[in-house]
Amino acid sequence: MQIPATIPVMVIDIGKLLRNLWFDFMDPVATVSDLIRKWQPTDTSTEAKIEESLHAYLAKRLKWHDVRRQFRHDRVTADILINEKLAIEIKLNLTKKGECDRLIGQLDSYANWGVQMIVLLVGQVDADLKRRVEERLQKDWEYEYEPRLVHIPA
C-alpha cells in the first residue's frame, strides 16, 4: 500500500471561529445597540454619511469582527453587517408612510435571510410609523435575541 506524497490539509481560521463563537454568546444585538447609543455622529445630513460614520465607529470598537458596509444578499442590501449575522438598517427622517412601507418590505427580506436585526432611525420620526416598525420587528424576531430599534434625534 502506497502512502500519498501529499495529504490534503483542511485549513481552519481559528481566529474567525473564536470570534463567531464569542459573537454568538455575547448577545450581539444588545451589545451593538449599546455601542450605537454611545456613538456621536458628526454629520447626519444623508444616510450615506451616517452609514460611513457608524461603520468607522463600529469597526474600531469591534476590531476583531467582520464589520462591512453595503452587503448584498438576495434582494436586500444591509447598510452594515457584522459577522454576517447582524444587520443594521439605517433610516433618516422616517416621516412618510411610503418610506415606512419600504422599510417594512426590507424587514421582510431580512427575516427571510435569517440575520439578527437592528433598525437605526436618525432625525425626525413619526410616532405612528415608529410603532409600525417596532411591531414588525417583534413579529419576526420575537423568539430570537430581542430586536432593537434605536432612535437618535438629529
Side-chain angles (χ1 to χ4, degrees):
M1 178 162 109
Q2 284 188 323
I3 298 176
T6 59
I7 300 173
V9 177
M10 191 165 106
V11 177
I12 298 174
D13 184 345
I14 298 296
K16 181 178 181 179
L17 177 65
L18 291 174
R19 283 192 303 275
N20 283 332
L21 285 172
W22 179 80
F23 192 76
D24 288 342
F25 290 106
M26 73 174 205
D27 190 359
V29 175
T31 300
V32 173
S33 292
D34 289 342
L35 285 172
I36 292 171
R37 287 184 186 95
K38 293 174 186 171
W39 166 63
Q40 297 177 350
T42 55
D43 186 352
T44 58
S45 60
T46 67
E47 283 184 19
K49 290 185 185 278
I50 294 165
E51 178 187 316
E52 181 180 343
S53 172
L54 181 59
H55 174 265
Y57 174 82
L58 292 175
K60 184 176 181 180
R61 277 145 190 85
L62 298 169
K63 61 183 168 186
W64 302 110
H65 297 278
D66 184 18
V67 182
R68 298 184 191 183
R69 290 178 63 194
Q70 294 296 309
F71 187 89
R72 183 128 179 99
H73 179 79
D74 286 339
R75 299 178 340 184
V76 69
T77 301
D79 290 328
I80 296 175
L81 184 69
I82 302 171
N83 288 357
E84 296 186 28
K85 295 179 179 201
L86 172 61
I88 302 172
E89 184 61 36
I90 300 168
K91 291 298 168 203
L92 175 62
N93 297 326
L94 186 64
T95 58
K96 297 178 182 164
K97 182 185 178 299
E99 295 167 346
C100 184
D101 291 343
R102 182 174 181 274
L103 175 56
I104 298 294
Q106 288 174 295
L107 292 176
D108 287 339
S109 295
Y110 282 117
N112 290 333
W113 182 359
V115 293
Q116 297 172 46
M117 191 75 230
I118 295 174
V119 173
L120 171 60
L121 303 178
V122 179
Q124 298 177 358
V125 175
D126 178 276
D128 289 333
L129 299 180
K130 181 179 178 180
R131 180 186 45 75
R132 279 188 61 206
V133 172
E134 288 172 332
E135 288 171 356
R136 185 65 182 85
L137 285 167
Q138 189 61 36
K139 177 182 175 245
D140 278 327
W141 285 275
E142 67 179 320
Y143 297 114
E144 298 179 23
Y145 292 104
E146 183 177 336
R148 303 279 203 271
L149 187 141
V150 179
H151 178 209
I152 298 176

